[in-house]
Amino acid sequence: MSSSGPPDRLCLPFFYAKCKDMIEANDSRLVSWVEVPADSDFPIQNLPFGIIEPDGAEPRPAVAIGDHALDLAVLAEAGLLDEVGIERTAYHAPVLNPLMQGGKAAIRALRKRLSELLRADNDVLRDDSSLRDRALHHCSAVKMRLPIEIGDYTDFYSSIEHATNVGTMFRDPNNALLPNWRHLPVGYHGRSSSIILSGQPIHRPKGQMMPDGADAPVFGPCKLLDIELEMAFVTLPGKPLGDSISVAEAEDYIFGLALFNDWSARDIQKWEYVPLGPFLAKNFASSLSPWIVTLDALEPFRVAGPKQEPAVLDYLQFDGERNFDIELEVSIDPDGEHDTVVSRSNFRYMYWNMAQQLAHHTVNGCNVRAGDMMASGTISGPTPDSYGSLLEITWKGTKPLTLGNGEQRKFLADGDTVTLRGHCSKDGIRIGFGEVTTKILPAK
Ligand code: MN
């Protein structure tokens, strides 16, 4: 049987009868009875998790399929999820955390069951028009909610291109990377309370800055407001305080990923960050995309990461391919009519992979909990058109970029809308993340 692309619809009954037990949720031959547009980020092979709020109803978990959201509360009430073994109350929660309490096995069983219910040959939901109408919401008819009650939030600094660019600009082009960088995934503890959902605008932050050449700091709206193109992963329940998660175990503790824009006020950052690192330049907001794509859905898109030189310590060594081929892009729309792509990067460029990040994070006995979030750090590629921040794209503002309406930008202007998008594609299957989009409002 060919593994390239979905089967002809006429052959479906034969195909499913033949390999019912072999079909996995990621199989590129799977087709859903829900119509999925060809360019959709959400085919049956994806099934990312989010929290929807249908009109007049309480927020509840859902998975995305094409242009629709499948309501897990409705399915659970109909008894269709009983065999999964997750408590029914988890399907009525306003965040995904209760669903995640059962760990990888429970999430995997749930995704498998949802895949079964959505397959072209499964008539349980397909032919029950009353239940189907209640369970399938068009995405335009539901509000999205922040999917996770985020506990602790950590931001890494794991792109060697980004770290090299920043080190070159601010320190020494000949010693751009600090001595620790190739030996451990550098990170800092951020703030979870100000992580917001795509669509929620932000106000330009105010703060303290030291203008070039001045001898005293000034206070006011930040002038150098920037983006950071990142991805963030969400953890499942970890181990008790004092225990460590090894690199080999790490992916069992990762639920999935979303797009993440780590807003940064560069002028505030430059003055405040010495010696303890980012503070108010970062914690005013970070924006998250609404659907969490499971690590399982990304399995077909594994690739090798950059070679790590010199060799890392034993506890950071890993087997196999631990990076993922996720195409990413950043666009800026200055006026609602000229959305302009300003960068194209890829998650595969990460020098430190997620398994190493989580292993390093817990090697001292630090515990992680269901719903902790760990962001990658700015994901820059090797060329200027793949840099993940305006700081790098415009090289500290020395090379302004031109938007579709002819306006120039060194950093963000009030009224700009920034959108990050990401997807994987292979064998005719596209697994996407949707987008995280945010408008910049003037300082309050
Ligand atoms: Mn960051």
Side-chain angles (χ1 to χ4, degrees):
M1 191 165 290
S2 161
S3 62
S4 57
D8 189 298
R9 279 188 174 271
L10 293 173
C11 299
L12 278 173
F14 171 74
F15 164 70
Y16 285 116
K18 181 101 174 165
C19 33
K20 203 159 184 118
D21 297 329
M22 296 162 38
I23 304 172
E24 306 230 337
N26 286 347
D27 196 303
S28 62
R29 294 163 297 192
L30 283 181
V31 176
S32 176
W33 49 263
V34 179
E35 194 185 330
V36 177
D39 59 349
S40 175
D41 278 349
F42 308 128
I44 189 172
Q45 289 83 358
N46 192 348
L47 305 183
F49 289 82
I51 294 290
I52 58 168
E53 186 177 340
D55 216 10
E58 296 295 313
R60 72 272 310 278
V63 292
I65 173 87
D67 294 333
H68 290 81
L70 182 64
D71 187 324
L72 303 195
V74 170
L75 297 188
E77 282 310 298
L80 295 181
L81 303 179
D82 288 351
E83 67 186 59
V84 173
I86 292 175
E87 295 251 354
R88 272 201 191 181
T89 52
Y91 298 113
H92 293 273
V95 287
L96 297 174
N97 301 56
L99 274 185
M100 293 154 59
Q101 286 303 331
K104 197 78 158 194
I107 291 292
R108 203 165 258 167
L110 175 57
R111 183 164 168 270
K112 182 167 179 282
R113 175 64 179 148
L114 296 170
S115 177
E116 281 167 12
L117 288 168
L118 288 166
R119 279 174 201 182
D121 66 332
N122 191 313
D123 59 8
V124 173
L125 194 53
R126 185 191 72 192
D127 294 350
D128 184 338
S129 62
S130 159
L131 182 59
R132 194 184 63 217
D133 289 350
R134 282 183 289 128
L136 267 186
H137 307 276
H138 198 273
C139 283
S140 62
V142 294
K143 267 190 244 166
M144 299 305 299
R145 294 285 178 189
L146 195 67
I148 309 288
E149 183 180 3
I150 301 165
D152 287 300
Y153 155 55
T154 300
D155 195 22
F156 285 96
Y157 188 58
S158 288
S159 153
I160 196 165
E161 286 85 2
H162 174 69
T164 302
N165 287 338
V166 172
T168 299
M169 275 186 264
F170 292 107
R171 284 190 307 274
D172 176 5
N174 297 314
N175 291 289
L177 294 179
L178 288 167
N180 61 1
W181 202 91
R182 287 174 183 270
H183 296 281
L184 58 86
V186 169
Y188 70 96
H189 286 305
R191 189 164 184 85
S192 56
S193 66
S194 53
I195 296 177
I196 58 174
L197 191 64
S198 174
Q200 182 175 340
I202 62 167
H203 286 274
R204 178 176 297 273
K206 291 179 290 192
Q208 193 178 127
M209 297 154 279
M210 178 68 96
D212 284 342
D215 52 14
V218 300
F219 175 84
C222 131
K223 293 189 173 67
L224 309 183
L225 182 58
D226 200 359
I227 54 171
E228 288 192 341
L229 167 62
E230 304 197 18
M231 301 212 67
F233 70 81
V234 179
T235 56
L236 293 163
K239 292 184 180 180
L241 185 69
D243 288 2
S244 304
I245 296 171
S246 70
V247 169
E249 298 167 320
E251 290 181 358
D252 291 338
Y253 293 88
I254 297 175
F255 172 50
L257 289 93
L259 300 164
F260 192 76
N261 188 345
D262 181 23
W263 302 102
S264 299
R266 298 300 179 197
D267 36 8
I268 296 171
Q269 184 179 357
K270 189 178 174 190
W271 172 233
E272 74 171 4
Y273 88 102
V274 183
L276 288 186
F279 186 30
L280 304 185
K282 299 275 192 177
N283 70 3
F284 60 95
S286 305
S287 299
L288 186 72
S289 57
W291 296 104
I292 309 293
V293 176
T294 62
L295 211 50
D296 283 345
L298 296 172
E299 192 60 38
F301 305 96
R302 282 184 186 275
V303 287
K307 185 168 171 53
Q308 297 184 333
E309 244 357 316
V312 297
L313 290 173
D314 282 352
Y315 81 93
L316 288 169
Q317 288 184 9
F318 63 93
D319 295 324
E321 296 176 331
R322 300 294 185 135
N323 281 40
F324 292 88
D325 184 6
I326 304 172
E327 294 175 41
L328 302 167
E329 69 173 41
V330 183
S331 67
I332 301 175
D333 187 340
D335 55 9
E337 294 177 11
H338 295 88
D339 194 37
T340 310
V341 174
V342 299
S343 176
R344 289 195 170 86
S345 187
N346 195 304
F347 192 51
R348 70 187 296 162
Y349 296 139
M350 301 307 297
Y351 187 89
W352 296 102
N353 60 56
M354 292 181 282
Q356 290 178 309
Q357 289 170 338
L358 188 52
H360 182 67
H361 205 305
T362 60
V363 75
N364 63 346
C366 174
N367 52 339
V368 297
R369 296 172 292 183
D372 286 355
M373 184 163 281
M374 302 196 183
S376 56
T378 307
I379 306 164
S380 290
T383 54
D385 58 356
S386 63
Y387 292 166
S389 65
L390 291 176
L391 177 71
E392 297 162 88
I393 294 169
T394 71
W395 209 257
K396 278 199 288 186
T398 60
K399 299 174 182 172
L401 58 85
T402 305
L403 301 177
N405 65 349
E407 288 182 20
Q408 291 207 318
R409 288 287 182 280
K410 296 173 179 174
F411 290 90
L412 295 168
D414 293 344
D416 285 351
T417 298
V418 178
T419 304
L420 313 184
R421 301 180 184 88
H423 75 276
C424 314
S425 107
K426 191 178 179 182
D427 298 336
I429 298 297
R430 176 187 172 103
I431 300 290
F433 290 80
E435 61 182 33
V436 52
T437 188
T438 315
K439 186 167 186 173
I440 310 296
L441 303 178
K444 265 188 179 171

